[in-house]
Amino acid sequence: MDCPLCNSDGGELIYRHPLFRVIDAREALYPGFLRLVWNTHVQEFSQLPTEQRTLCMNAVVLLEEFVLQQFKPDKVNLATLGNVVPHLHWHVIPRFTDDAHFPAPVWAAAKAAAQLSPRQQTILDTQSTWFGLLNECLQAQFG
Amino acid sequence: MDCPLCNSDGGELIYRHPLFRVIDAREALYPGFLRLVWNTHVQEFSQLPTEQRTLCMNAVVLLEEFVLQQFKPDKVNLATLGNVVPHLHWHVIPRFTDDAHFPAPVWAAAKAAAQLSPRQQTILDTQSTWFGLLNECLQAQFG
C-alpha cells in the first residue's frame, strides 16, 4: 500500500511502542506539536479493538498532560482527521493566545506576519531536553 | 461564568446524559456534524477523572460508529479544540470527498462555490429519522 505512514515514521521519532509511535510533527509555527501514529494501517479510531483504543487514548492523554505541564499553553488541541493520509494518527497541539492562528484552529488561515511567540521559541530552543523527558515519561507508562 | 456551553445546550439537543449531552452542530455545510458537550465546565480532556474520561471517549466512539454506519462517509474527523469556548466538547464530523473542504479540515478555507454534496443533502433530508435513531443508540448504551 502506498501509505506514507506505513512506509516511514512520519517525522522525528521521540518514542516507539510495539503498537504506536510518537513523533515531533515539525510544524514550523508550532514547536511542541506532537503526533501519535498507530503502527498498523487502521483508518478510523473506532475501528481499533477496545483494548488498543484504550491504550491509544491513554497515550494521547499522557501527551496532553506532558504538553500542559511542560509548555504551559493556554489550550491544547487534540484531533484525528486523516483526510489526506487515512492512517490513524492523533495531533496534540499546544496553543498560545499569541500563536499564529489563535483562537482559530491551526488549519485556518494564519494571521498576517505570523511568527513564533516567545513561549513557542522557548519550546523550540529546549527541544533536546524535553524530547528526552517525554521519552522517559512514555517509557515509564508504556514500557 | 460567562460560558455559552454552561449557559445553554449549545445546539439542538439529541441526547442528554447526567454527565454530557449530544447536540446537532448545525454547521450549514456539514449536516450530520455532531458535538458531544461535557455538562460541567472542564477545560482540557485530560483534566477529567479517569472514569469520566473513559465514558466520554466511549460516547465519542459511539458517535463515530453511528456516523460511519448511518452516513457512510469517506472519513470521520474527531477533534476537541475549544480555543474560543474552553469548555470540553468533541466534534464528530462526517467527511465526504465532495464536501466543501475535503481533503482539508473543515476549518480551512472552503472550496469556491461550496455547497452540499448529494450524500450530505440526504443526511439533511433524513434528519428527523436519524436523530431518533441516534438517541436510541445512546440510550441503549448509556441509559
Side-chain angles (χ1 to χ4, degrees):
Chain A
M1 196 178 329
D2 191 24
C3 168
L5 292 178
C6 287
N7 298 336
S8 76
D9 284 337
E12 188 174 342
L13 192 74
I14 296 176
Y15 170 77
R16 191 188 303 280
H17 181 274
L19 292 173
F20 66 89
R21 57 199 184 260
V22 173
I23 60 170
D24 180 69
R26 295 270 168 214
E27 301 279 347
L29 291 167
Y30 290 92
F33 185 147
L34 303 172
R35 202 166 278 146
L36 181 150
V37 182
W38 203 249
N39 287 342
T40 55
H41 192 90
V42 173
Q43 179 162 321
E44 307 289 354
F45 180 59
S46 65
Q47 291 164 349
L48 286 180
T50 308
E51 246 178 67
Q52 294 188 6
R53 200 156 31 78
T54 303
L55 176 74
C56 180
M57 196 38 60
N58 287 346
V60 169
V61 165
L62 184 149
L63 297 182
E64 180 177 290
E65 288 172 337
F66 181 87
V67 159
L68 282 167
Q69 285 162 26
Q70 197 68 19
F71 306 145
K72 310 218 180 318
D74 299 307
K75 189 70 193 72
V76 181
N77 292 171
L78 304 179
T80 180
L81 309 176
N83 306 321
V84 177
V85 181
H87 175 134
L88 180 62
H89 57 282
W90 278 90
H91 307 287
V92 179
I93 317 167
R95 299 299 310 278
F96 298 91
T97 51
D98 52 356
D99 71 29
H101 299 79
F102 203 91
V106 301
W107 304 283
K111 296 170 189 170
Q115 53 180 8
L116 289 189
S117 72
R119 289 180 291 174
Q120 292 182 301
Q121 187 61 52
T122 303
I123 298 175
L124 189 62
D125 294 342
T126 57
Q127 205 157 253
S128 57
T129 309
W130 64 256
F131 268 34
L133 194 56
L134 176 54
N135 178 278
E136 282 169 30
C137 290
L138 284 157
Q139 276 199 45
Q141 185 161 339
F142 302 105
Chain B
M1 197 180 328
D2 193 24
C3 169
L5 292 179
C6 287
N7 298 335
S8 75
D9 284 338
E12 186 172 344
L13 192 76
I14 296 177
Y15 170 78
R16 190 188 304 280
H17 181 276
L19 292 173
F20 66 88
R21 57 199 184 259
V22 173
I23 60 170
D24 179 70
R26 296 267 169 214
E27 301 279 346
L29 291 167
Y30 289 93
F33 186 147
L34 303 173
R35 202 165 279 147
L36 181 150
V37 182
W38 202 251
N39 287 342
T40 54
H41 193 88
V42 173
Q43 177 162 321
E44 306 289 353
F45 180 59
S46 65
Q47 291 164 348
L48 286 181
T50 309
E51 245 177 68
Q52 294 188 8
R53 198 156 32 77
T54 303
L55 175 75
C56 180
M57 197 37 61
N58 287 346
V60 169
V61 165
L62 184 150
L63 296 182
E64 179 176 290
E65 289 172 337
F66 181 87
V67 160
L68 282 167
Q69 286 161 25
Q70 196 68 19
F71 306 145
K72 310 216 179 322
D74 299 308
K75 189 72 193 68
V76 182
N77 293 172
L78 304 179
T80 180
L81 309 177
N83 306 321
V84 177
V85 181
H87 175 135
L88 180 62
H89 57 280
W90 278 91
H91 306 286
V92 179
I93 316 166
R95 301 298 312 276
F96 298 91
T97 51
D98 52 357
D99 72 29
H101 299 79
F102 202 91
V106 301
W107 304 283
K111 296 171 189 169
Q115 52 181 9
L116 288 189
S117 72
R119 289 180 290 174
Q120 290 182 301
Q121 186 62 51
T122 302
I123 297 175
L124 189 61
D125 294 343
T126 58
Q127 205 157 253
S128 57
T129 309
W130 64 257
F131 267 34
L133 194 57
L134 176 54
N135 178 278
E136 283 169 30
C137 291
L138 284 157
Q139 278 200 43
Q141 187 162 337
F142 301 105

